[in-house]
Amino acid sequence: MIALFLLVSCTTDPDTPPDVSQENKPPSVPKLNSPEANLFCTDNELDFKWSASTDPDGDPVTYQIQVANDSDFSNMYYTDEVSTTNSNQVLEKGKNYYWHVRAKDDKGNFSAYSEMRNLYTEGESVTNSLPAIPELINPTQNVVSRSEVNLKWKTSDADDDILTYDLYFGTSNNPELYKENLADPSYILTNLQSDTSYFWRVTVKDSKGGVTVGQIWTFKTN
């Protein structure tokens, strides 16, 4: 008897692409809304708020908030995972706190952490008047020379606390932090671009942790 074997070639159709699953992507980084950075808080019950993240794959998103007593988050005070864009928490009085938030999809992918913000809660026996809102001294003109601009402002403090100043400056109408902890209420800018609008504001801080945020001022170079 002669045995016959049928050989069948098992090959994949070269015109059919392989089935490659797409890699799941993490959500976008949340943006913090409130509380503002560097705040002196007289109320120790705070509602932390941030903007919603988007997920490129359309996955449901939750948020992990961390609140710590140090800027490297090694001394954690509070952490929570929520599906909303806020978290209410009662903090201890008279302490510094740092907080940030990250987003997480239902596949376990985390976004990077948001910016870090800090605040200080008023102690039981602390009374403090916040510094007055800064007043503009210079420049008072709408158009200035681009070679040199001397920014000047004035403020006061009812408790005669030592004051320092954070200068926010740039071409955006929401200027970013430019110089921190200035001792004098003035700063000289040089080598500015011609025919450019600039925006600036000053945040005043007293020695007890009080913070007052000034309004945004603007000028244009010739």
Side-chain angles (χ1 to χ4, degrees):
M1 178 181 294
I2 300 175
L4 297 177
F5 295 91
L6 179 63
L7 300 180
V8 179
S9 176
C10 298
T11 60
T12 302
D13 185 347
D15 295 327
T16 303
D19 182 15
V20 179
S21 298
Q22 291 186 348
E23 181 181 358
N24 188 268
K25 297 180 178 62
S28 62
V29 179
K31 293 183 179 180
L32 304 186
N33 290 336
S34 62
E36 294 284 346
N38 304 314
L39 284 190
F40 178 83
C41 301
T42 56
D43 187 356
N44 65 319
E45 182 176 359
L46 297 178
D47 196 21
F48 297 94
K49 296 181 179 180
W50 55 90
S51 62
S53 297
T54 57
D55 188 89
D57 306 297
D59 298 328
V61 175
T62 57
Y63 303 92
Q64 184 185 72
I65 177 173
Q66 291 185 335
V67 181
N69 295 118
D70 56 351
S71 59
D72 59 3
F73 292 86
S74 60
N75 185 14
M76 195 70 64
Y77 177 80
Y78 164 75
T79 184
D80 194 15
E81 186 166 316
V82 296
S83 58
T84 58
T85 55
N86 70 292
S87 178
N88 185 271
Q89 181 66 19
V90 177
L91 306 178
E92 294 182 17
K93 294 184 177 182
K95 290 189 176 182
N96 280 304
Y97 292 94
Y98 301 82
W99 68 288
H100 59 193
V101 179
R102 65 177 177 175
K104 175 187 176 184
D105 66 20
D106 63 350
K107 306 299 189 303
N109 293 317
F110 286 96
S111 72
Y113 276 108
S114 66
E115 63 169 313
M116 178 187 69
R117 288 186 181 178
N118 69 298
L119 57 93
Y120 179 81
T121 54
E122 182 182 39
E124 293 287 354
S125 59
V126 173
T127 57
N128 183 50
S129 298
L130 296 179
I133 296 175
E135 297 179 37
L136 175 64
I137 301 298
N138 193 65
T140 56
Q141 311 95 325
N142 291 330
V143 180
V144 300
S145 170
R146 71 184 180 92
S147 59
E148 180 177 297
V149 178
N150 190 0
L151 305 180
K152 290 185 178 182
W153 58 92
K154 69 176 181 179
T155 187
S156 60
D157 187 89
D159 306 314
D160 292 326
D161 297 326
I162 297 174
L163 301 178
T164 56
Y165 311 94
D166 291 345
L167 173 63
Y168 292 75
F169 176 76
T171 56
S172 166
N173 59 7
N174 186 22
E176 297 181 351
L177 180 63
Y178 186 74
K179 291 291 180 180
E180 193 172 14
N181 296 325
L182 296 172
D184 297 319
S186 65
Y187 188 82
I188 297 177
L189 299 168
T190 58
N191 299 321
L192 300 176
Q193 297 180 8
S194 61
D195 194 27
T196 302
S197 294
Y198 289 96
F199 301 84
W200 65 290
R201 69 173 176 85
V202 174
T203 294
V204 188
K205 301 181 292 187
D206 68 22
S207 54
K208 294 187 178 71
V211 176
T212 299
V213 178
Q215 69 185 80
I216 293 177
W217 296 307
T218 183
F219 62 85
K220 185 177 181 180
T221 54
N222 56 22

